[in-house]
Structures are given as C-alpha cells and as structure tokens.
Amino acid sequence: KQWYQRRVRGAQSKIVISDLIGLNGARFSPFCWRAKSVLRYKGIPFETQDLSLFQIRGGACPLKHPTVPVMVHDGQQIPDSWDIAVFLDKKYPTKPIFKYPGIKESCLVLQNTTNLRLHTSVFNYGVAYKYDRVHPDDKKIYDEKMMVRLGLTLEQMFPKEEHFKGEFQKELGFINQALEKIAQNNPDPNQQFIFGEFSYGDIILFGTMRWIVFGVGLKKGLGEGKFPYIETWWKRVNPLVGVDPNVAEYYK
C-alpha cells in the first residue's frame, strides 16, 4: 500500500486503476476490464495497481474499497466500473461511449442484466479452470465463495465441466441471436455493435468475455464456431480497445 501511495504522489497527473491479478499476469475481473477498455478506447494512458483478492480484502485498495476497480485520477478516487466510465466520458468527450440520448440508460439495463445472469454462468464455468492461475493467498477465498454458491470447492468443480458449460452457452445463445438480428438489419459493419454504433454496451459484454478467455479460452468457451456472430463481434471489438484479436491466447 505504501508503494502505491508513493507512486501516486509522485505522478499526480497519471491515472492508476486497481486491478485483480493472479499468477503469471492473469487478470480476472470483468469490471476492471471494462474500466481499462474505456481508457484504451479513448487513448488515455494509465497504470495499474495489481492486487490479489487477499490484498483487496485486507484493505489495500484505495479508499479501502472492498472491490475493484478503483481509479485514481489526479488524486481523485473513483470506485466502480460504471462510475468510472461515466466520469471518463464526461472528462474526455472525444470518442464518446454514451453518444446518443438514452444510450446511457440502455447500457445500465444491459449491465445489470449481464451482471445478474451472464456473470453467474460465467463464474461457475470459468472460475474453476483458473484455479492454477489464482494467487495462493486467494484460493481459500475462492473456495469459500464456491461453498456458499454451490457447496463445492474449486477443485470439486472440475467433474461438472459439461454442466456448467451448458448453462454458460445457453446464456450466450441469446446474445448470439441478438447480434445475428443486428447484423441482418445493418449491413454496415460499423453499425453491427450491441446498440448499433460502438458504445459502452460493447465494453460491458467485452469485459465479461475477457473473464471466460482467462478461464477456459475463447474457443472452448464458445464451442468451436457455435456462436459465429459473437466471434465476429469479438474480433471487431478487440482492436477498438487496444487488444490484438489475433493473439493466440484468445482462441486457445
């Protein structure tokens, strides 16, 4: 924590995002991916404060906030990925993510639906397969979470892979159908995003998909071509947020 405070005091003009990290650079949090994606899309430089879940629970996050991300911007501390996105879009209006009237409200509905429905299935399917990439101090915390949710430890979830995969892919089916209709109604590829043009709605889903990428890999998660419209959307979104869509890890 002292290292972090010195870093911020010495660079007040910089932006620092607290980020959940595992072993070998694995970054698990969909909410942190959302915040970082807004910054990358807008071309705003930033640094990360890498924290294990154990450190976050111990109060190492700015404001002693119990979750990540927390953004420090010129000394101002802003928690929550939604509040960070709203703040950045107002502060840096170039390349807006809430471009049209009503888009912010639509994104908020999408975020709440994604967090309540898709995140449950993603967590159950993906979290067990990152067990060997979790920081050792965090494994007990994840085991406690899974015992509350499912009565299982992470290691006990492995035999239930197909069950959790089916739940996850059922939710993806609804998204794939929606993207198919969008593509059919909008022949222009620049209009084939969640709400037509690229917006925070795409960043919401992107952050969630990054979760499954680190858990099991995108190809396995999507079922090898089972959701072609999601795959097309994914390849279109990645470059916009500064990520190379051809990197092998995304399709392992």
Side-chain angles (χ1 to χ4, degrees), residues 97-240:
I97 54 174
F98 301 114
K99 190 173 182 178
Y100 301 109
I103 190 67
K104 186 181 295 184
E105 292 76 12
S106 297
C107 286
L108 187 58
V109 171
L110 176 64
Q111 174 180 270
N112 292 345
T113 303
T114 300
N115 293 353
L116 288 172
R117 293 198 54 172
L118 188 57
H119 278 200
T120 299
S121 60
V122 170
F123 185 89
N124 292 347
Y125 179 42
V127 73
Y129 304 97
K130 70 182 184 188
Y131 191 77
D132 61 345
R133 304 183 72 181
V134 169
H135 192 282
D137 291 338
D138 291 353
K139 289 185 177 182
K140 183 179 178 181
I141 298 174
Y142 279 109
D143 279 342
E144 290 173 352
K145 277 188 173 185
M146 296 317 300
M147 286 300 294
V148 170
R149 294 169 68 103
L150 299 170
L152 301 168
T153 66
L154 291 181
E155 290 180 301
Q156 291 170 338
M157 290 180 67
F158 281 92
K160 297 182 176 291
E161 172 184 356
E162 290 305 315
H163 172 73
F164 293 128
K165 182 177 181 178
E167 290 184 340
F168 168 64
Q169 292 190 345
K170 181 179 178 180
E171 296 296 333
L172 285 187
F174 297 117
I175 298 172
N176 193 72
Q177 289 175 5
L179 289 171
E180 180 181 10
K181 291 182 178 180
I182 291 170
Q184 291 172 346
N185 293 330
N186 298 281
D188 181 359
N190 293 321
Q191 297 287 328
Q192 293 179 8
F193 295 98
I194 299 296
F195 295 120
E197 290 189 28
F198 182 82
S199 71
Y200 189 63
D202 298 280
I203 290 175
I204 290 169
L205 184 58
F206 172 80
T208 301
M209 294 303 298
R210 286 295 298 150
W211 198 359
I212 201 64
V213 166
F214 270 121
V216 300
L218 190 64
K219 276 192 174 180
K220 184 175 182 180
L222 291 182
E224 297 287 350
K226 191 174 181 180
F227 304 102
Y229 290 94
I230 292 179
E231 289 193 38
T232 299
W233 167 87
W234 174 261
K235 292 178 181 179
R236 190 175 291 129
V237 169
N238 269 278
L240 295 177

Side-chain angles (χ1 to χ4, degrees), residues 13-80:
S13 62
K14 293 184 179 179
I15 295 174
V16 181
I17 291 277
S18 55
D19 200 357
L20 176 62
I21 193 168
L23 298 178
N24 302 318
R27 298 178 186 274
F28 302 131
S29 170
F31 306 104
C32 293
W33 274 108
R34 291 174 186 175
K36 291 182 294 184
S37 296
V38 173
L39 289 162
R40 287 184 175 131
Y41 177 65
K42 289 178 173 289
I44 304 169
F46 67 95
E47 297 178 356
T48 60
Q49 178 202 17
D50 299 334
L51 298 170
S52 68
L53 186 58
F54 180 81
Q55 290 174 309
I56 295 168
R57 292 286 180 89
C61 209
L63 301 175
K64 294 188 181 295
H65 206 264
T67 61
V68 288
V70 175
M71 182 179 72
V72 178
H73 181 285
D74 287 335
Q76 181 180 357
Q77 299 178 345
I78 306 166
D80 189 82

Side-chain angles (χ1 to χ4, degrees), residues 80-107:
D80 189 82
S81 57
W82 174 264
D83 291 339
I84 291 170
V86 171
F87 173 87
L88 290 172
D89 208 48
K90 184 177 181 179
K91 183 75 174 179
Y92 303 92
T94 303
K95 300 180 72 174
I97 54 174
F98 301 114
K99 190 173 182 178
Y100 301 109
I103 190 67
K104 186 181 295 184
E105 292 76 12
S106 297
C107 286

